[in-house]
Amino acid sequence: MDDADERALVEHGYDALSYHYRADDAGDGQYAPWLAALHRRLPAAAAVLDLGCGCGVPVARFLAAAGHQVTGVDISSVQVERARRLVPTGTFLRADATRVDLPPGSFDAIICLYALIHLPLPEQPRLIGRIATWLRPGGWLLATVGDSAWTGTEDNWLGGPAAMWWSQADASTYRTWLREAGLLVTAEEFVPEGTSGHTLFWARRPPA
């Protein structure tokens, strides 16, 4: 499978499985403490990028309700259409995260939850490098990534009619990529899921 096939599998998967993944009225769930902690770090009416925003629930919904200016990016047209409906004050772009063109120094925070791991592995450190440029000095990155290295596909994901694909490095590799991008890793934690899990990173662009 080449990069185009992998991207298409993710795009079509989320188009088909959008409602299997998250309902319109889903709660904040495990995201709640992460979002509250981010909100405490942000200035009023901060500019925040939700990279891999899905349907806008819960991240963009929470941030918009807190008075922040939210931009969301997702590869799935179904997810973006839902986000525009569910978070009408946000701005949502249907785009590949590795190819979207955003101005440097334009965001106080960037959130990328369970999204990097849907990208081809060689693209991930390059995207982390671009994320660092999109942040303003002192800006925050909150990201969930792999804990252990794995690449694979799951058919009938979430019991739905489509497959899903992932590719991830281990936590140590992501830590290195964040530092190579010039970001300061301030905290990390293991987020269990089933018999494995992910790593949550807090990283910051150094203040000017």
Side-chain angles (χ1 to χ4, degrees), residues 53-68:
C53 64
C55 70
V57 173
V59 174
R61 179 185 65 189
F62 175 97
L63 293 167
H68 301 301

Side-chain angles (χ1 to χ4, degrees), residues 46-52 71-74 93 95-112 115-116 119 123-141 181-183 204-206:
V48 185
L49 174 65
D50 186 4
L51 203 56
T71 300
V73 174
D74 203 276
L93 310 174
D96 184 320
T98 65
R99 298 169 184 171
V100 68
D101 186 19
L102 296 167
S106 52
F107 296 102
D108 296 293
I110 296 174
I111 303 176
C112 189
L116 270 172
L119 299 172
E123 297 275 5
Q124 295 183 29
R126 290 196 286 268
L127 179 56
I128 290 169
R130 297 182 73 207
I131 285 170
T133 70
W134 296 336
L135 284 170
R136 293 171 178 159
W140 289 94
L141 170 63
L183 298 173
R204 194 179 194 193
R205 181 173 172 179

Side-chain angles (χ1 to χ4, degrees), residues 88-179:
T89 59
T91 300
F92 297 96
L93 310 174
R94 189 265 161 204
D96 184 320
T98 65
R99 298 169 184 171
V100 68
D101 186 19
L102 296 167
S106 52
F107 296 102
D108 296 293
I110 296 174
I111 303 176
C112 189
L113 300 180
Y114 303 98
L116 270 172
I117 55 178
H118 285 305
L119 299 172
L121 206 58
E123 297 275 5
Q124 295 183 29
R126 290 196 286 268
L127 179 56
I128 290 169
R130 297 182 73 207
I131 285 170
T133 70
W134 296 336
L135 284 170
R136 293 171 178 159
W140 289 94
L141 170 63
L142 174 61
T144 46
V145 295
D147 185 69
S148 56
W150 180 77
T151 295
T153 303
E154 182 179 334
D155 294 327
N156 305 116
W157 187 45
L158 304 175
M164 187 50 66
W165 176 87
W166 299 264
S167 189
Q168 62 192 46
D170 59 23
S172 176
T173 299
Y174 285 108
R175 193 180 312 117
T176 297
W177 288 345
L178 290 164
R179 289 171 176 162

Side-chain angles (χ1 to χ4, degrees), residues 12-13 15-18 20 155-163:
H12 298 324
D15 282 347
L17 299 168
S18 178
H20 291 257
D155 294 327
N156 305 116
W157 187 45
L158 304 175

